[in-house]
Structures are given as structure tokens and as C-alpha cells.
Amino acid sequence: MSEVEGIGPQALPGLREQVARIIEEASRQGASACEVSVSMEQGLSTTVRQREVETVEFNRDQGFGITLYVGQRKGSASTTGSGEEAIRETVAAALAIARHASEDEFAGLADPALMATEVADLDLYHPWGISPDEAVELALSCEAAAFAADKRILNADGTTLSTHRGCRGYGNSNGFIGAYSSSRHSLGCVMIAESEGQMQRDYHYDVSRVASELAAPEAIGRRAAERAVRRLGARPVPTCDVPVLFSSELATGLFGHFLAAISGGNLYRKSSYLEGALGQTLFPEWLSLDERPHLPRGLASAAYDGDGLATYAKPFVENGKLVSYVLGTYSGRKLGMPSTANAGGVHNLFVSHGDEDQAALIRRMGRGLLVTELMGQGLNLVTGDYSRGAGGFWVENGEIQFPVQEVTIAGNLRDMFRQIVAVGCDTETRSSIHTGSVLIERMKVAGQ
């Protein structure tokens, strides 16, 4: 393939053949081992704003990442060209880097016995044959519904429709070559509400492997408008220690911080507050976190990880106890532990929950802060200290009283996770982390 000839299942045989040729070339040039990652993507994205088309973008890309080993020395190089000369030069460049690199006793490919033996079809490829004109029309209808939803919606900050499809492959000289096709479609709307000299901005969006499963454009627009209007009149609250309820779409970030803290890279660099925490009880006993990598149409589903190892379902937290780190081959070797087939990350994390929705958790909270917006990056992963700018709603007597802005919430992740009171059944499904709203017993809210 001199360039991208097709994207989809029909391209996979040629993709695997290209990977095999690169591995052969690496061996011919003297590499003791080789691994290759390849991607081919095509997409359409359009943004409208204030009833006008702002951008229409079409992209079509391909790239090869080649990593070679000379004994325990490693070198990497990449190219967008797939011709014989481009591959030959890129292999030579990676080989030159490897020969000048320092030896690393942990470098090298994964154990051949652990490689995936087959790549299951996880139903990830559902291309959307939408034209640019049709994409613009859908985005405009989404924005129009937002403007029509409330007279206080006087401005727009962009409505974007995107559709992408692609192929990804990975192979190495231990005999594994895998490839799969996938698609991803999204529609998001950001609106601005104005009243009595105050402006508030909020958004809504949906994302899916299958275009027909996206929420209707009009529903997304109306929801974006409702969220923006709901924030009008926001004000700070006095500094206090109160329960805090993270909405489900923000709770995904909390568990994302946890995954970072138990990831091998941060652990062997000693940059995580959970170093040495394996086997410890970190959450309430009713809470578990488990990975489900083979979920059909899952946004993070994968049959194999970044090392070519077969992925498998497993818990990371079971009955509140940390039972597994998140490890790839290299980080596992550094820690003296086997890989958990998580090179490249976690595939579909599920957080256990009860049967209460967000409204029920608000009633249970009684008095406190419902957080629907976070700002800043105030997390120290070494200590677990957490401090973020926040916005949301003040709750009294189990009911929302008024919107809140310009406050900071603070705590320590170790304490916050241990003090989780409940996880709601309002599960966020637009993320690789599936969780409901999370109620934490007590945090510092710094305001006026």
C-alpha cells in the first residue's frame, strides 16, 4: 500500500501484511526483536456557531511506529509513508537509535506464550456515510433547538459533529500480528445563557460507535440550553466542611485519578501515593472496580493490549480491597510482577453501584454541594492531595437551592475514596469508565 487505500475490514489483510514486511525488514537489518504499531484513520468534523458554519474538516491519515531492540537496547522511529524506501529508512533510524541507547534489563517483547492467539470481533466498526452538507444540517438543528429552548439562550459557543473510522494494527517478532477496525461518532453543543448581567456557559454531548445510537440532535441542544440556564444566578458559598456529590460525568475523573495511581509507570517511578498498597482496603467493602475489555461496541474495548497480550476481564478492586495494579509488560518487569495485559490503559472500567439515582443521593446528602463542573489540575499524585475549582448546586434539606460558582473543593484521594457513601445508578456511559454519581461523606468547600 503506497497510501491509505481503504479503511475498514477490507483493509485489515493488507495492514497485517505491511506489519509483517516491516518486521522482516527489521530482522534483515540486524534487529534482535521488533514491534510495530500502525494506524489508518479517516474522519469528518464540522462546527457551527451562531447559526453559521464555522469549520468543515476532512482528515485522512496513516502512521507507523517502529520499535527495535538490539539485545537490551531499544530504539523507536515513526513514519507516515508506507513505501519500501520510507520503511527501510525508518527501520535504519530506529536501529541507529537502539545501538546508541543504554542497556535496559527490563526492555524487550512480552512472553510469546502470553500473546493473543486470536482477535475477537467486538463489533466496533459502524461507519457513518454522512455527507458534509448532512453533517452541517444536523449540527445546525442541534443549535437551533438550543436557541429555541429558552429565551435566555442568547449566544452559542459551538456545536460540533464528528465521525471517524479507522484501522489499528500491532505486530511483533514473537509471532503476533493483530488488527481491527473501529468507528466513533459524536455530537456536542455548547451554549451561553444571559440574564441580569450574568452569563453562564454549559454543554451536552453524546458519543457512540454507532451513529443511529446517538441521542437526537434536538435533544442534545435542548439539554445544553437547560444546563446553561440552570446555572444563572450562581454565587459562592461560605467556606465549610460538607458532603460533596460528584455528578456521574465528573466521577469518571475521580476513578481516572485512581487508575493513574495504580498504574505501573507511576508506581515504579515512585510517583504515586498508592505505592505498596496492593492488598490494602482503600474503598468501602461494598465497592468493586472491574475491567470488561470484550464489551461489544464498548468505547474502550480491545481484544489485545499494546504489547499484543490477550486482554481479559478482571477486578482491580474487590470488596473495597486493591487486588491488582494496572501493568504492561515493561512496568510489570520493573515491579517484579506479571503484566495484567493493560499496556496502553484500562479497557472499560465498571464501578459497582446501588439502586439510588442522583435525585435520591441528593436527598440522602441533605446539605452539601452537588459538583457539576471542575476546573484546574490541582492533584498531587505523590501525596494524593486534591484541590480543584468547582461549580454546581447548593443542597439544603435534600433539595437543590441555587447554583454555585467560584468555590474550591479539597481533600485527599485516600480519604475521599474511603469516605464514599454511595455510588448512584445513573451510570455514565459516554466514557471508558462507567460510574454513577459519587457521594463523599465530607470535603472542604472553600468559598467566601
Side-chain angles (χ1 to χ4, degrees):
M1 294 181 295
S2 59
E3 57 181 333
V4 177
E5 295 175 350
I7 294 179
Q10 73 278 5
L12 297 183
L15 199 67
R16 286 189 284 263
E17 181 182 338
Q18 181 75 65
V19 171
R21 284 205 299 265
I22 294 173
I23 293 171
E24 289 174 7
E25 177 64 21
S27 177
R28 189 189 67 79
Q29 292 195 30
S32 56
C34 173
E35 56 185 334
V36 180
S37 296
V38 56
S39 66
M40 303 193 307
E41 296 184 357
Q42 176 177 299
L44 170 69
S45 178
T46 182
T47 297
V48 303
R49 183 176 179 273
Q50 291 288 80
R51 304 177 178 89
E52 298 287 342
V53 179
E54 197 164 72
T55 62
V56 177
E57 299 177 354
F58 179 81
N59 72 284
R60 193 172 174 90
D61 307 301
Q62 70 175 3
F64 297 89
I66 302 172
T67 297
L68 306 182
Y69 298 89
V70 178
Q72 299 303 118
R73 302 174 190 269
K74 172 183 172 182
S76 299
S78 61
T79 180
T80 58
S82 58
E84 289 185 11
E85 183 177 355
I87 294 303
R88 188 164 52 248
E89 291 177 353
T90 306
V91 167
L95 202 55
I97 294 170
R99 285 172 173 153
H100 287 88
S102 300
E103 288 198 1
D104 183 345
E105 63 177 306
F106 304 107
L109 303 179
D111 185 339
L114 301 177
M115 298 291 171
T117 55
E118 60 181 57
V119 178
D121 181 3
L122 301 178
D123 197 22
L124 306 182
Y125 185 69
H126 296 271
W128 190 4
I130 188 171
S131 70
D133 287 344
E134 291 169 332
V136 167
E137 183 179 345
L138 287 178
L140 286 171
S141 68
C142 180
E143 186 190 70
F147 275 119
D150 195 290
K151 63 182 180 180
R152 289 166 291 183
I153 298 294
L154 300 178
N155 206 340
D157 205 16
T159 297
T160 300
L161 183 147
S162 295
T163 173
H164 288 86
R165 58 192 176 101
C167 300
R168 292 187 177 273
Y170 171 85
N172 59 45
S173 52
N174 274 349
F176 174 80
I177 297 180
Y180 64 94
S181 303
S182 65
S183 59
R184 187 182 183 95
H185 320 290
S186 65
L187 177 60
C189 181
V190 184
M191 302 304 293
I192 300 171
E194 300 181 36
S195 180
E196 298 179 358
Q198 186 185 65
M199 292 193 301
Q200 292 289 347
R201 173 181 179 274
D202 216 322
Y203 68 95
H204 192 58
Y205 74 98
D206 200 11
V207 60
S208 178
R209 297 282 189 189
V210 187
S212 62
E213 294 181 358
L214 289 173
E218 295 79 9
I220 292 173
R222 285 193 297 269
R223 183 59 178 150
E226 291 166 1
R227 287 169 59 111
V229 167
R230 196 181 181 202
R231 295 173 61 85
L232 289 169
R235 59 186 189 269
V237 294
T239 297
C240 53
D241 289 337
V242 292
V244 170
L245 177 61
F246 287 82
S247 68
S248 58
E249 61 188 357
L250 297 186
T252 60
L254 280 181
F255 291 107
H257 297 325
F258 177 73
L259 291 178
I262 63 170
S263 69
N266 287 321
L267 292 168
Y268 76 70
R269 294 186 186 96
K270 301 186 182 301
S271 58
S272 169
Y273 76 99
L274 291 180
E275 182 189 354
L278 198 62
Q280 293 180 12
T281 298
L282 304 177
F283 293 88
E285 291 186 357
W286 51 266
L287 192 147
S288 296
L289 307 177
D290 69 285
E291 179 187 32
R292 305 176 194 176
H294 300 160
L295 187 69
R297 301 186 180 182
L299 292 176
S301 293
Y304 57 89
D305 77 343
D307 293 328
L309 273 61
T311 54
Y312 59 98
K314 58 184 167 295
F316 291 108
V317 172
E318 201 165 30
N319 300 322
K321 181 182 294 186
L322 178 62
V323 296
S324 175
Y325 290 141
V326 177
L327 304 175
T329 298
Y330 183 80
S331 61
R333 288 172 181 163
K334 293 279 284 188
L335 294 169
M337 306 175 73
S339 171
T340 60
N342 288 113
V346 171
H347 308 285
N348 303 320
L349 184 78
F350 280 73
V351 182
S352 60
H353 60 79
D355 56 5
E356 296 171 286
D357 61 12
Q358 187 183 93
L361 293 182
I362 289 172
R363 290 192 293 272
R364 187 200 280 214
M365 179 167 62
R367 175 178 182 268
L369 180 66
L370 166 62
V371 177
T372 59
E373 180 184 26
L374 289 169
M375 293 154 282
Q377 302 296 324
L379 170 65
N380 185 330
L381 204 61
V382 177
T383 63
D385 289 336
Y386 180 94
S387 179
R388 304 281 301 275
F393 299 90
W394 187 252
V395 174
E396 292 275 1
N397 300 317
E399 296 183 354
I400 290 175
Q401 302 297 314
F402 56 85
V404 172
Q405 66 180 9
E406 298 176 0
V407 300
T408 299
I409 57 173
N412 183 277
L413 288 179
R414 189 181 285 274
D415 298 331
M416 291 163 61
F417 290 136
R418 194 165 47 233
Q419 293 175 13
I420 291 178
V421 174
V423 177
C425 61
D426 55 327
T427 303
E428 173 62 62
T429 60
R430 300 168 298 177
S431 167
S432 61
I433 298 175
H434 296 239
T435 177
S437 297
V438 173
L439 177 58
I440 295 176
E441 184 177 356
R442 191 161 296 273
M443 291 184 69
K444 171 73 73 175
V445 177
Q448 295 174 323

